[in-house]
Amino acid sequence: MTGSEGANGEYIYIWRYIVRPERLEEYLAAYGPEGAWVQLFKGAEGYRGTELLKDREQEDCYITIDRWDSLEDFNTFVSQNRDAFEALDRKCEGYTVAEERLGAFTDDLTP
């Protein structure tokens, strides 16, 4: 899985997408605040929410910020929902020109 095993604090992962202009509506339907990804995650133990942000300077650039109580909660969700997770990921591939995982973060600032 992504991130560092055993990390303390909230698990936050951020992705950057360059969206195909002709697929923008589909992208927003999948990644927006009530989109397909949120619907998949909603109700999962430890899921805190997803934010979708649009770049002010590059109009086809968006980022998503997904928040979970812990990396363990995220990993448990993925292992229990792997088929649905991978199917949705495959479906959404065509919406973007590029996607980049910016990282996995925590709110635990302990050195």
Side-chain angles (χ1 to χ4, degrees), residues 2 8 12 20 23 29 37 44-50 54 64 68 94 98-99 106:
T2 58
N8 295 320
I12 304 159
R20 295 178 189 280
R23 305 294 299 269
W37 282 105
E45 175 99 23
Y47 175 65
R48 289 190 179 184
T50 297
K54 180 179 178 177
T64 58
W68 294 79
E99 62 182 66
T106 182

PDB file of all heavy atoms in Angstrom, residues 2 8 12 20 23 29 37 44-50 54 64 68 94 98-99 106:
ATOM      1  N   THR A   2       0.226   2.374  -0.144  1.00  0.00           N
ATOM      2  CA  THR A   2       0.940   3.637  -0.172  1.00  0.00           C
ATOM      3  C   THR A   2       1.210   4.123   1.238  1.00  0.00           C
ATOM      4  O   THR A   2       0.599   3.676   2.186  1.00  0.00           O
ATOM      5  CB  THR A   2       0.110   4.688  -0.921  1.00  0.00           C
ATOM      6  OG1 THR A   2      -1.141   4.811  -0.270  1.00  0.00           O
ATOM      7  CG2 THR A   2      -0.070   4.314  -2.363  1.00  0.00           C
ATOM      8  N   ASN A   8       1.877   7.544  12.706  1.00  0.00           N
ATOM      9  CA  ASN A   8       0.836   7.996  13.631  1.00  0.00           C
ATOM     10  C   ASN A   8       0.061   9.136  13.013  1.00  0.00           C
ATOM     11  O   ASN A   8       0.525   9.815  12.128  1.00  0.00           O
ATOM     12  CB  ASN A   8       1.477   8.452  14.943  1.00  0.00           C
ATOM     13  CG  ASN A   8       2.150   7.321  15.669  1.00  0.00           C
ATOM     14  OD1 ASN A   8       1.633   6.210  15.714  1.00  0.00           O
ATOM     15  ND2 ASN A   8       3.310   7.591  16.229  1.00  0.00           N
ATOM     16  N   ILE A  12      -3.361  11.274   5.119  1.00  0.00           N
ATOM     17  CA  ILE A  12      -3.834  12.196   4.092  1.00  0.00           C
ATOM     18  C   ILE A  12      -3.027  11.925   2.831  1.00  0.00           C
ATOM     19  O   ILE A  12      -1.796  11.913   2.876  1.00  0.00           O
ATOM     20  CB  ILE A  12      -3.603  13.663   4.529  1.00  0.00           C
ATOM     21  CG1 ILE A  12      -4.286  13.917   5.875  1.00  0.00           C
ATOM     22  CG2 ILE A  12      -4.086  14.632   3.452  1.00  0.00           C
ATOM     23  CD1 ILE A  12      -3.718  15.107   6.621  1.00  0.00           C
ATOM     24  N   ARG A  20      -8.480  16.104 -19.138  1.00  0.00           N
ATOM     25  CA  ARG A  20      -8.808  16.309 -20.550  1.00  0.00           C
ATOM     26  C   ARG A  20     -10.017  17.242 -20.615  1.00  0.00           C
ATOM     27  O   ARG A  20     -11.054  16.942 -20.011  1.00  0.00           O
ATOM     28  CB  ARG A  20      -9.165  14.989 -21.218  1.00  0.00           C
ATOM     29  CG  ARG A  20      -8.041  13.993 -21.287  1.00  0.00           C
ATOM     30  CD  ARG A  20      -8.518  12.684 -21.923  1.00  0.00           C
ATOM     31  NE  ARG A  20      -7.509  11.664 -21.792  1.00  0.00           N
ATOM     32  CZ  ARG A  20      -6.443  11.567 -22.586  1.00  0.00           C
ATOM     33  NH1 ARG A  20      -6.272  12.415 -23.571  1.00  0.00           N
ATOM     34  NH2 ARG A  20      -5.545  10.606 -22.388  1.00  0.00           N
ATOM     35  N   ARG A  23     -13.370  15.812 -21.171  1.00  0.00           N
ATOM     36  CA  ARG A  23     -13.845  14.853 -20.161  1.00  0.00           C
ATOM     37  C   ARG A  23     -14.057  15.512 -18.794  1.00  0.00           C
ATOM     38  O   ARG A  23     -14.239  14.826 -17.790  1.00  0.00           O
ATOM     39  CB  ARG A  23     -12.842  13.693 -20.016  1.00  0.00           C
ATOM     40  CG  ARG A  23     -12.469  12.939 -21.275  1.00  0.00           C
ATOM     41  CD  ARG A  23     -13.579  12.150 -21.925  1.00  0.00           C
ATOM     42  NE  ARG A  23     -14.176  11.097 -21.147  1.00  0.00           N
ATOM     43  CZ  ARG A  23     -13.781   9.822 -21.134  1.00  0.00           C
ATOM     44  NH1 ARG A  23     -12.758   9.429 -21.872  1.00  0.00           N
ATOM     45  NH2 ARG A  23     -14.417   8.936 -20.404  1.00  0.00           N
ATOM     46  N   ALA A  29     -17.718  14.660 -11.998  1.00  0.00           N
ATOM     47  CA  ALA A  29     -18.719  13.724 -11.471  1.00  0.00           C
ATOM     48  C   ALA A  29     -18.061  12.602 -10.670  1.00  0.00           C
ATOM     49  O   ALA A  29     -18.652  12.084  -9.722  1.00  0.00           O
ATOM     50  CB  ALA A  29     -19.554  13.149 -12.609  1.00  0.00           C
ATOM     51  N   TRP A  37     -15.969   8.624  -6.263  1.00  0.00           N
ATOM     52  CA  TRP A  37     -14.966   8.232  -5.262  1.00  0.00           C
ATOM     53  C   TRP A  37     -15.502   8.446  -3.855  1.00  0.00           C
ATOM     54  O   TRP A  37     -15.359   7.581  -2.985  1.00  0.00           O
ATOM     55  CB  TRP A  37     -13.653   8.986  -5.472  1.00  0.00           C
ATOM     56  CG  TRP A  37     -12.854   8.423  -6.595  1.00  0.00           C
ATOM     57  CD1 TRP A  37     -12.688   8.961  -7.839  1.00  0.00           C
ATOM     58  CD2 TRP A  37     -12.136   7.179  -6.601  1.00  0.00           C
ATOM     59  NE1 TRP A  37     -11.911   8.134  -8.612  1.00  0.00           N
ATOM     60  CE2 TRP A  37     -11.555   7.036  -7.878  1.00  0.00           C
ATOM     61  CE3 TRP A  37     -11.924   6.173  -5.661  1.00  0.00           C
ATOM     62  CZ2 TRP A  37     -10.772   5.942  -8.235  1.00  0.00           C
ATOM     63  CZ3 TRP A  37     -11.142   5.084  -6.013  1.00  0.00           C
ATOM     64  CH2 TRP A  37     -10.585   4.969  -7.274  1.00  0.00           C
ATOM     65  N   ALA A  44     -17.138   4.244   5.123  1.00  0.00           N
ATOM     66  CA  ALA A  44     -16.011   3.392   5.507  1.00  0.00           C
ATOM     67  C   ALA A  44     -15.468   3.833   6.862  1.00  0.00           C
ATOM     68  O   ALA A  44     -15.417   5.029   7.161  1.00  0.00           O
ATOM     69  CB  ALA A  44     -14.905   3.456   4.459  1.00  0.00           C
ATOM     70  N   GLU A  45     -15.081   2.874   7.650  1.00  0.00           N
ATOM     71  CA  GLU A  45     -14.467   3.157   8.947  1.00  0.00           C
ATOM     72  C   GLU A  45     -13.245   4.052   8.745  1.00  0.00           C
ATOM     73  O   GLU A  45     -12.346   3.730   7.966  1.00  0.00           O
ATOM     74  CB  GLU A  45     -14.035   1.845   9.604  1.00  0.00           C
ATOM     75  CG  GLU A  45     -13.278   2.017  10.880  1.00  0.00           C
ATOM     76  CD  GLU A  45     -14.155   1.821  12.096  1.00  0.00           C
ATOM     77  OE1 GLU A  45     -15.188   1.154  11.980  1.00  0.00           O
ATOM     78  OE2 GLU A  45     -13.776   2.339  13.145  1.00  0.00           O
ATOM     79  N   GLY A  46     -13.232   5.201   9.412  1.00  0.00           N
ATOM     80  CA  GLY A  46     -12.067   6.075   9.383  1.00  0.00           C
ATOM     81  C   GLY A  46     -12.025   7.085   8.247  1.00  0.00           C
ATOM     82  O   GLY A  46     -11.136   7.930   8.221  1.00  0.00           O
ATOM     83  N   TYR A  47     -12.957   7.036   7.310  1.00  0.00           N
ATOM     84  CA  TYR A  47     -12.952   8.000   6.202  1.00  0.00           C
ATOM     85  C   TYR A  47     -13.443   9.346   6.710  1.00  0.00           C
ATOM     86  O   TYR A  47     -14.516   9.447   7.286  1.00  0.00           O
ATOM     87  CB  TYR A  47     -13.838   7.509   5.060  1.00  0.00           C
ATOM     88  CG  TYR A  47     -13.976   8.506   3.927  1.00  0.00           C
ATOM     89  CD1 TYR A  47     -12.879   8.869   3.153  1.00  0.00           C
ATOM     90  CD2 TYR A  47     -15.198   9.090   3.641  1.00  0.00           C
ATOM     91  CE1 TYR A  47     -13.009   9.788   2.113  1.00  0.00           C
ATOM     92  CE2 TYR A  47     -15.340   9.993   2.610  1.00  0.00           C
ATOM     93  CZ  TYR A  47     -14.239  10.340   1.849  1.00  0.00           C
ATOM     94  OH  TYR A  47     -14.374  11.253   0.820  1.00  0.00           O
ATOM     95  N   ARG A  48     -12.643  10.394   6.475  1.00  0.00           N
ATOM     96  CA  ARG A  48     -12.983  11.741   6.950  1.00  0.00           C
ATOM     97  C   ARG A  48     -13.478  12.659   5.850  1.00  0.00           C
ATOM     98  O   ARG A  48     -14.123  13.652   6.123  1.00  0.00           O
ATOM     99  CB  ARG A  48     -11.769  12.388   7.608  1.00  0.00           C
ATOM    100  CG  ARG A  48     -11.403  11.784   8.921  1.00  0.00           C
ATOM    101  CD  ARG A  48     -10.377  12.633   9.596  1.00  0.00           C
ATOM    102  NE  ARG A  48     -10.009  12.081  10.879  1.00  0.00           N
ATOM    103  CZ  ARG A  48      -9.192  12.666  11.709  1.00  0.00           C
ATOM    104  NH1 ARG A  48      -8.654  13.833  11.398  1.00  0.00           N
ATOM    105  NH2 ARG A  48      -8.899  12.106  12.859  1.00  0.00           N
ATOM    106  N   GLY A  49     -13.122  12.385   4.610  1.00  0.00           N
ATOM    107  CA  GLY A  49     -13.614  13.230   3.538  1.00  0.00           C
ATOM    108  C   GLY A  49     -12.595  13.452   2.442  1.00  0.00           C
ATOM    109  O   GLY A  49     -11.432  13.083   2.565  1.00  0.00           O
ATOM    110  N   THR A  50     -13.082  14.057   1.365  1.00  0.00           N
ATOM    111  CA  THR A  50     -12.271  14.347   0.189  1.00  0.00           C
ATOM    112  C   THR A  50     -12.500  15.790  -0.221  1.00  0.00           C
ATOM    113  O   THR A  50     -13.638  16.265  -0.217  1.00  0.00           O
ATOM    114  CB  THR A  50     -12.665  13.419  -0.982  1.00  0.00           C
ATOM    115  OG1 THR A  50     -12.394  12.069  -0.605  1.00  0.00           O
ATOM    116  CG2 THR A  50     -11.892  13.753  -2.240  1.00  0.00           C
ATOM    117  N   LYS A  54      -9.237  23.261  -7.605  1.00  0.00           N
ATOM    118  CA  LYS A  54      -8.843  23.619  -8.965  1.00  0.00           C
ATOM    119  C   LYS A  54      -7.708  24.637  -8.898  1.00  0.00           C
ATOM    120  O   LYS A  54      -7.778  25.598  -8.130  1.00  0.00           O
ATOM    121  CB  LYS A  54     -10.034  24.219  -9.720  1.00  0.00           C
ATOM    122  CG  LYS A  54      -9.709  24.615 -11.137  1.00  0.00           C
ATOM    123  CD  LYS A  54     -10.928  25.182 -11.834  1.00  0.00           C
ATOM    124  CE  LYS A  54     -10.523  25.612 -13.234  1.00  0.00           C
ATOM    125  NZ  LYS A  54     -11.650  26.114 -13.990  1.00  0.00           N
ATOM    126  N   THR A  64      -6.737  16.377  -5.514  1.00  0.00           N
ATOM    127  CA  THR A  64      -7.648  15.787  -4.535  1.00  0.00           C
ATOM    128  C   THR A  64      -6.871  15.565  -3.250  1.00  0.00           C
ATOM    129  O   THR A  64      -5.688  15.217  -3.272  1.00  0.00           O
ATOM    130  CB  THR A  64      -8.246  14.446  -5.010  1.00  0.00           C
ATOM    131  OG1 THR A  64      -7.202  13.521  -5.282  1.00  0.00           O
ATOM    132  CG2 THR A  64      -9.120  14.630  -6.229  1.00  0.00           C
ATOM    133  N   TRP A  68      -8.173  10.207   6.019  1.00  0.00           N
ATOM    134  CA  TRP A  68      -8.583   9.028   6.777  1.00  0.00           C
ATOM    135  C   TRP A  68      -8.052   9.173   8.198  1.00  0.00           C
ATOM    136  O   TRP A  68      -7.041   9.838   8.419  1.00  0.00           O
ATOM    137  CB  TRP A  68      -8.013   7.763   6.136  1.00  0.00           C
ATOM    138  CG  TRP A  68      -8.582   7.484   4.782  1.00  0.00           C
ATOM    139  CD1 TRP A  68      -8.239   8.078   3.608  1.00  0.00           C
ATOM    140  CD2 TRP A  68      -9.610   6.563   4.470  1.00  0.00           C
ATOM    141  NE1 TRP A  68      -9.002   7.584   2.589  1.00  0.00           N
ATOM    142  CE2 TRP A  68      -9.845   6.635   3.083  1.00  0.00           C
ATOM    143  CE3 TRP A  68     -10.358   5.670   5.230  1.00  0.00           C
ATOM    144  CZ2 TRP A  68     -10.804   5.857   2.446  1.00  0.00           C
ATOM    145  CZ3 TRP A  68     -11.309   4.882   4.592  1.00  0.00           C
ATOM    146  CH2 TRP A  68     -11.528   4.982   3.210  1.00  0.00           C
ATOM    147  N   GLY A  94      -9.327   7.497 -18.243  1.00  0.00           N
ATOM    148  CA  GLY A  94      -9.492   8.253 -19.470  1.00  0.00           C
ATOM    149  C   GLY A  94      -9.870   9.713 -19.284  1.00  0.00           C
ATOM    150  O   GLY A  94      -9.887  10.478 -20.240  1.00  0.00           O
ATOM    151  N   ALA A  98      -2.726  13.269 -17.359  1.00  0.00           N
ATOM    152  CA  ALA A  98      -1.672  12.862 -16.430  1.00  0.00           C
ATOM    153  C   ALA A  98      -2.213  12.887 -15.011  1.00  0.00           C
ATOM    154  O   ALA A  98      -3.126  13.652 -14.692  1.00  0.00           O
ATOM    155  CB  ALA A  98      -0.478  13.805 -16.546  1.00  0.00           C
ATOM    156  N   GLU A  99      -1.652  12.031 -14.180  1.00  0.00           N
ATOM    157  CA  GLU A  99      -1.944  12.064 -12.758  1.00  0.00           C
ATOM    158  C   GLU A  99      -0.658  11.775 -12.011  1.00  0.00           C
ATOM    159  O   GLU A  99       0.190  11.025 -12.470  1.00  0.00           O
ATOM    160  CB  GLU A  99      -3.055  11.097 -12.360  1.00  0.00           C
ATOM    161  CG  GLU A  99      -2.777   9.646 -12.603  1.00  0.00           C
ATOM    162  CD  GLU A  99      -3.963   8.783 -12.205  1.00  0.00           C
ATOM    163  OE1 GLU A  99      -5.017   8.902 -12.843  1.00  0.00           O
ATOM    164  OE2 GLU A  99      -3.811   7.998 -11.247  1.00  0.00           O
ATOM    165  N   THR A 106       0.670  13.225   7.150  1.00  0.00           N
ATOM    166  CA  THR A 106       0.051  13.042   8.448  1.00  0.00           C
ATOM    167  C   THR A 106      -0.068  14.389   9.140  1.00  0.00           C
ATOM    168  O   THR A 106       0.692  15.311   8.840  1.00  0.00           O
ATOM    169  CB  THR A 106       0.851  12.055   9.319  1.00  0.00           C
ATOM    170  OG1 THR A 106       0.146  11.885  10.565  1.00  0.00           O
ATOM    171  CG2 THR A 106       2.255  12.551   9.597  1.00  0.00           C
TER     172      THR A 106
END
